[in-house]
Structures are given as C-alpha cells and as structure tokens.
Amino acid sequence: MQGIDFNGAEHRKVTIIGTGPAGLTAAIYSARANLSPLVIQGPEPGGQLITTTDVENYPGFPDGIMGPEMMQKFEAQASRFGADLRWGTVTSVDFSKRPFKLVVDEETPVLSDTVIISTGASARYLGLKNEARLLGHGVSACATCDGAFFREQKVAIVGGGDTAMEEALFLTRFASKVYVIHRRDAFRASQIMQDRVLAHDKIEVLWNTQVVDVHGDKVVTGIELADPEGNNKRTLPVDGLFVAIGHKPNTDIFASSIDRDETGYIVTKPDSTYTNIEGVFACGDAQDHVYRQAITAAGTGCMAAIDAERWLADQEG
Ligand code: NDP
C-alpha cells in the first residue's frame, strides 16, 4: 500500500483493471518498474484465454500451451515482481480529477494516479427470443466450458471465424455430430482452421444459413433455421447451441468519460495507449478491434505500462 488518503481509501500510483494477457503484462512491467501496481482481476480472472484450449500461436511455446496454464504463468510472473492482484470488479470510475477514483464491487474505493484499462471483451449473443432463457440449459458461448456436457449428443455452433472453428473441433471430442452454421458461403477463419473443420467427419457445415430461434422447454431440443433472407424455415434437432459470433469490448463503465468508437472500443492516440484522459491508458481487446490476439494484447499491455511509467515520471519531474 502506498498511502492512505483522508477518506481511508487505498492510494496507488498504478491501478490495472483486468487480468488477461494485456493487464497481466502491464502488471509485470509496472511491477518491475517498482510501481507496485494494484491489479483488479475482474469478473473473469485470466480473461478469454481461460476458456480456450490449445494456444498454438504464442511464441515461446513450440508445442502449444493450454490457455488457463498460460494465464497462470502470466499471473505468477506478475506476482513474483510484487504486483498486488485482488479479486473484485471495478463497478464505477471517476476520472474527472486526479487522483482518479475507482469503486470495486460497489463499495471499496481505490485512488490511483494512473489507471490502465485492460478489461477485454465478452462473447456476443444472437439476440434470439429464447436464447437468454436457455443459456446454461443448452445454449452456451463457451465450448471449452460446456462441451463435455454433450457426450454423444448433437450440437450446433454459429459463426465462421477462428473461434467457431476452434470450438467446433473441440466439440467433436464429445458430441456425436457438430453442425457449423454460417450466414455466408465462406468462412473468415484462418485457412488452417478451416481446413481442419472441413476435413472432419463429425462436422457438417450449413452455409448461407441463420439461426432464427432456439427451441426447448427446460433444455434445448432444436434450433430453427432459415436462409439469409429469412425464408425456408426448418427445425434442426440438436441438444446444444454454441454461439461464436465475436465479442463486445467491456467498456460500458467508461462510457461517460473515455472516448470510444461506435462499437465500444476505447480510442487511443496514435502509436500509444493514451486515452482522451491524461493518466488513463488502455490496452488489449478493450482497445484493439483489429488484431485481438493474446500476443498483441500482451504487446499493448507492455506499451501501457511504459506509457504510465513515463507519464508519472513527467508529473514528478
Ligand atoms: P470474428 O469476428 O473473427 O468472427 C465472427 C463470426 O461470426 C464471423 O464469421 C461472422 O460472420 C459471424 N457473425 C457475426 N455476427 C453474427 C450474427 N449476428 N449472426 C450470425 N453470424 C454472425 O470472431 P472470432 O471470435 O471468431 O475471432 C476474433 C479474433 O480472434 C479473430 O481475429 C480471430 O482470428 C482470433 N482468434 C484466434 C484464435 C487462434 O489463433 N487460436 C482462436 C480464436 C480467435 P461473417 O464472417 O459473415 O462476418
């Protein structure tokens, strides 16, 4: 702890919100710069990689590594240099004056001279009439988490990106049949992932098809399909519906103070992690709508820590 203010709130030089690759890399760098960062873990400690299986494209792991194991290593490395990781979710922020004020879990105030936003992104859903009601009862956005519940059952996955390919392949370990449902006639996923999906004998791709609703009283029993124009409606009996249609940046709590683009990604100044508020920096999937990789998130986390360190030095100098 670096000091107590007159209200009794903890006061830090650096507070990092979120613990995916971006936040934990920022933690490693700012801890090694002797800034004793406070790291608020957020609702999904470790971020999206916690729900990923093999990570095969992170340099330094020639045989691949499981996502959760990789994040444990990031965390151990941050803790080793004195980053102070705490459970909790930042529920509101006041960036109108310095030190900035954060509130954790709606009750615990934290004051901080700089803030690094690394809150990542969350899964998007289709917005179907019965989707939310059946969430956790056959509807899921995480095959890694829920795939094992569908042994010898039929499942469908919606999407044409790398997540959909990865999850479809993962689901073949359990399910008897995996339908990949895509709204166009071509995937956007990387070629190597497409090839694996298209070659798999348990996977059937339904091109130019959209899911218009999900059926089931207590659990999913089927999905209603249609062509892209909404015609040719038919029911496909499945036990599970996995949604893999991309992500939404977790930036709503910053809406009134931090500049965001029309889809909610935080806008940073060119070649830096500076936001529109001096002393507040943003990195990782909360800010990057282009690359969205663990390695690029880690890279921008490093940039944010260096930007914060230099900004603090300028204030003190
Ligand atoms: P993407 O944005 O790449 O893909 C989303 C997919 O969902 C697209 O095919 C899109 O269709 C479809 N989609 C979007 N909205 C709807 C909707 N309302 N109804 C039906 N379909 C919809 O997201 P991902 O999560 O797949 O990937 C995000 C990033 O992470 C990418 O850069 C990806 O490469 C990367 N990634 C890398 C991995 C790896 O390397 N191991 C693993 C997973 C992700 P359309 O194509 O028509 O737009």
Side-chain angles (χ1 to χ4, degrees):
M1 195 183 292
Q2 289 180 331
I4 302 281
D5 88 320
F6 56 92
N7 287 321
E10 196 163 339
H11 186 169
R12 296 288 179 135
K13 284 190 171 167
V14 178
T15 299
I16 297 166
I17 314 176
T19 47
L24 289 174
T25 303
I28 292 165
Y29 272 76
S30 45
R32 289 191 79 249
N34 274 342
L35 292 169
S36 309
L38 176 67
V39 188
I40 317 278
Q41 305 221 35
E44 193 175 33
Q48 295 171 66
L49 282 175
I50 288 297
T51 55
T52 304
T53 49
D54 289 313
V55 179
E56 294 180 336
N57 51 11
Y58 201 93
F61 299 98
D63 302 319
I65 182 168
M66 299 300 276
E69 188 189 347
M70 186 162 99
M71 296 323 295
Q72 278 166 11
K73 288 182 186 289
F74 271 59
E75 188 180 317
Q77 197 171 347
S79 298
R80 179 181 154 209
F81 296 110
D84 183 1
L85 275 77
R86 305 260 187 97
W87 292 103
T89 298
V90 173
T91 44
S92 66
V93 294
D94 180 356
F95 291 152
S96 62
K97 57 182 185 299
R98 295 202 292 264
F100 304 121
K101 187 175 172 186
L102 313 178
V103 178
V104 180
D105 293 337
E106 289 176 3
E107 56 179 355
T108 310
V110 172
L111 297 175
S112 197
D113 298 330
T114 63
V115 172
I116 295 176
I117 298 171
S118 46
T119 44
S122 297
R124 280 185 196 281
Y125 287 89
L126 291 160
L128 308 175
K129 190 165 157 236
N130 289 299
E131 187 181 34
R133 181 176 63 77
L134 290 165
L135 196 60
H137 302 280
V139 175
S140 169
C142 178
T144 317
C145 318
D146 300 326
F149 297 123
F150 296 88
R151 278 179 204 281
E152 296 308 317
Q153 297 186 341
K154 290 182 180 165
V155 297
I157 182 153
V158 187
D162 278 317
T163 303
M165 303 299 110
E166 190 177 83
E167 300 214 330
L169 290 164
F170 181 75
L171 287 166
T172 61
R173 298 187 197 179
F174 311 100
S176 56
K177 174 96 186 176
V178 179
Y179 295 97
V180 175
I181 298 170
H182 187 39
R183 62 185 179 181
R184 292 190 294 125
D185 60 0
F187 289 139
R188 70 170 60 232
S190 54
Q191 195 61 48
I192 185 171
M193 297 299 280
Q194 294 193 30
D195 292 347
R196 286 181 196 169
V197 162
L198 294 171
H200 203 291
D201 58 10
K202 274 191 187 176
I203 299 179
E204 181 178 340
V205 180
L206 305 183
W207 303 104
N208 298 311
T209 303
Q210 60 168 324
V211 179
V212 290
D213 204 0
V214 50
H215 297 307
D217 182 11
K218 293 201 164 59
V219 294
V220 170
T221 55
I223 51 179
E224 197 171 334
L225 305 178
D227 64 21
E229 292 74 38
N231 302 321
N232 189 21
K233 285 198 178 147
R234 68 265 190 204
T235 298
L236 179 72
V238 289
D239 307 289
L241 173 66
F242 289 85
V243 182
I245 60 165
H247 292 83
K248 174 183 183 298
N250 299 318
T251 58
D252 288 352
I253 59 165
F254 310 112
S256 62
S257 46
I258 297 287
D259 286 351
R260 304 184 303 161
D261 70 12
E262 64 284 352
T263 46
Y265 287 92
I266 293 176
V267 176
T268 50
K269 302 207 166 130
D271 301 324
S272 82
T273 62
Y274 278 70
T275 67
N276 58 306
I277 305 269
E278 271 209 37
V280 179
F281 305 87
C283 52
D285 283 15
Q287 163 263 343
D288 168 25
H289 60 94
V290 178
Y291 302 104
R292 295 178 295 178
Q293 301 296 301
I295 185 72
T296 48
T300 56
C302 161
M303 288 165 63
I306 292 174
D307 284 346
E309 181 191 349
R310 290 182 181 163
W311 186 83
L312 281 167
D314 283 349
Q315 304 303 303
E316 288 162 7

